[in-house]
Amino acid sequence: MLKFVVTYCDGQQVVLENVLTVVLNMDIDVPADDLTITIPYNRQISENADFVEAFSDGELVFKGRIDEIVGIKTVDGAITKIAARSPAAALLDNEAEPLTYINPSAKFIFGKHLKPFGFTDYDADDIPFFGTFKIDKGMTHWQVLRNFCINRYRSEPRITGDGKVYFRGLEKGDTVFFGKNQEEYTSIKESKKRFKLITEVMLKLTSFGTYGGSIKNENPECDGQTRIRYVNAASDKTSIETADDIIKQSNSESYSVVLECLGCRIKSIGKPACINDEMFGTIENLIVRKIRYAIGSSGEKTTVTLGKERF
């Protein structure tokens, strides 16, 4: 079971006892993890709590500034509920100054857009992105980080619950095997949502041209289906990469496997996975996309959502 520690505004730390419920959400497509905890009403925590941390076997897996503290009293009793997001939330909540950089490096981006929010550790190389890198009005610091990583490394960045920034994404690590005598589960649900698939994106490549270009979805599940979108790649706000993102997103939303597991399984987020099931058979080429860890009256439970790693 996870251990939870609250830090007060004056720096004092308190271990949470008598935890009633917990929900911890992790998603490789969402920059910030979120944590919600309820405990019996505690006035000190309600008035002084600033940060909350979660530990698994002594390892820090979540740290976040508390966004909301709620006190509730009913005929059944009184509780304190605290809700927090991991450090990436600060990048989502703040706009970046519109600027244009020349040949920025990961170290430069980290110093300008992450270090001011308390980040201290990152993983990247020192080779710069050669060319101009524009920050438009309204972009958040997270969008700056993501755009840099997409352009420089062709990868999605990831900020772990302890606040470390991975410019090239998380290392995939060893495959997680789900099934009998492995990572066991109590239920499995496989969903194929073909209506989510975008089969083709038509492109307008010049300001005065027509939508003459196209990018087709190579996913075999698209055979016999037609769902088309249009992207003006000549616009300042879009590009050919926008079309790629549309297809990638549609593929991601079209397939999932949801496993209900007893206990805590939060360390598998982002890892490749394989399922061996007596009824569904072997399902390979999977990645752990989402984790929902919960503590309630029935104990600990983890909902693991897997998607296809490649289409």
Side-chain angles (χ1 to χ4, degrees), residues 24-28 265-270 288-293 302-305:
L24 173 60
N25 291 303
M26 300 176 171
D27 188 330
I28 62 174
R265 300 288 185 271
I266 63 173
K267 294 183 180 180
S268 60
I269 187 73
V288 180
R289 303 194 65 86
K290 299 179 185 180
I291 294 288
R292 185 182 189 275
Y293 169 78
T302 305
T303 303
V304 181
T305 301

Side-chain angles (χ1 to χ4, degrees), residues 258-308:
V258 179
L259 305 175
E260 298 288 352
C261 306
L262 298 178
C264 182
R265 300 288 185 271
I266 63 173
K267 294 183 180 180
S268 60
I269 187 73
K271 291 186 176 182
C274 176
I275 297 173
N276 294 304
D277 187 84
E278 293 179 355
M279 180 176 293
F280 289 86
T282 299
I283 309 175
E284 300 177 300
N285 183 31
L286 299 174
I287 185 170
V288 180
R289 303 194 65 86
K290 299 179 185 180
I291 294 288
R292 185 182 189 275
Y293 169 78
I295 298 175
S297 58
S298 58
E300 290 181 290
K301 183 176 72 172
T302 305
T303 303
V304 181
T305 301
L306 306 102
K308 288 287 187 182

Side-chain angles (χ1 to χ4, degrees), residues 114-180:
L114 292 104
K115 193 173 182 179
F117 296 100
F119 292 92
T120 59
D121 195 11
Y122 72 96
D123 178 77
D125 61 32
D126 294 325
I127 302 173
F129 169 74
F130 293 104
T132 58
F133 182 79
K134 185 179 179 182
I135 302 173
D136 294 321
K137 173 68 176 69
M139 288 177 62
T140 65
H141 289 277
W142 170 259
Q143 289 174 309
V144 173
L145 172 64
R146 182 179 184 273
N147 286 358
F148 176 82
C149 293
I150 294 295
N151 283 282
R152 170 63 187 87
Y153 299 110
R154 294 291 185 265
S155 65
E156 296 278 350
R158 178 68 181 171
I159 300 177
T160 50
D162 60 359
K164 185 171 181 178
V165 184
Y166 292 83
F167 279 71
R168 293 169 289 193
L170 290 176
E171 293 183 5
K172 292 182 179 180
D174 297 332
T175 299
V176 181
F177 292 92
F178 293 92
K180 190 174 182 180

Side-chain angles (χ1 to χ4, degrees), residues 27-253:
D27 188 330
I28 62 174
D29 294 323
V30 177
D33 302 336
D34 65 83
L35 174 68
T36 302
I37 302 173
T38 63
I39 58 174
Y41 182 75
N42 185 309
R43 187 170 179 178
Q44 286 293 318
I45 287 177
S46 295
E47 294 179 352
N48 300 298
D50 191 19
F51 281 88
V52 61
E53 297 172 314
F55 296 86
S56 175
D57 298 324
E59 178 186 350
L60 179 64
V61 294
F62 178 93
K63 179 179 180 179
R65 171 158 269 143
I66 296 172
D67 289 325
E68 184 180 21
I69 304 176
V70 180
I72 303 172
K73 180 181 178 182
T74 69
V75 294
D76 297 320
I79 62 169
T80 295
K81 181 175 78 170
I82 59 177
R85 291 174 295 163
S86 61
L91 305 183
L92 294 168
D93 292 346
N94 290 274
E95 283 190 19
E97 181 183 0
L99 291 169
T100 298
Y101 298 140
I102 306 297
N103 302 338
S105 65
K107 182 179 180 180
F108 178 85
I109 294 295
F110 181 85
K112 283 284 188 179
H113 297 278
L114 292 104
K115 193 173 182 179
F117 296 100
F119 292 92
T120 59
D121 195 11
Y122 72 96
D123 178 77
D125 61 32
D126 294 325
I127 302 173
F129 169 74
F130 293 104
T132 58
F133 182 79
K134 185 179 179 182
I135 302 173
D136 294 321
K137 173 68 176 69
M139 288 177 62
T140 65
H141 289 277
W142 170 259
Q143 289 174 309
V144 173
L145 172 64
R146 182 179 184 273
N147 286 358
F148 176 82
C149 293
I150 294 295
N151 283 282
R152 170 63 187 87
Y153 299 110
R154 294 291 185 265
S155 65
E156 296 278 350
R158 178 68 181 171
I159 300 177
T160 50
D162 60 359
K164 185 171 181 178
V165 184
Y166 292 83
F167 279 71
R168 293 169 289 193
L170 290 176
E171 293 183 5
K172 292 182 179 180
D174 297 332
T175 299
V176 181
F177 292 92
F178 293 92
K180 190 174 182 180
N181 299 323
Q182 297 169 327
E183 292 287 336
E184 297 190 353
Y185 48 86
T186 58
S187 72
I188 177 172
K189 181 176 75 173
E190 182 183 34
S191 300
K192 299 178 180 179
K193 302 177 182 178
R194 293 176 178 171
F195 68 94
K196 291 285 189 179
L197 291 169
I198 302 301
T199 59
E200 186 175 10
V201 177
M202 305 301 297
L203 293 168
K204 182 179 179 180
L205 300 173
T206 61
S207 299
F208 302 101
T210 62
Y211 288 87
S214 77
I215 296 179
K216 293 186 178 181
N217 192 342
E218 301 299 328
N219 188 338
E221 294 292 327
C222 289
D223 292 348
Q225 302 190 63
T226 302
R227 291 183 194 84
I228 298 175
R229 297 291 184 269
Y230 290 82
V231 168
N232 181 0
S235 169
D236 288 339
K237 299 293 184 180
T238 59
S239 65
I240 294 177
E241 285 74 20
T242 303
D244 290 330
D245 288 342
I246 290 173
I247 289 176
K248 180 181 177 182
Q249 184 67 25
S250 79
N251 283 337
S252 176
E253 294 177 352

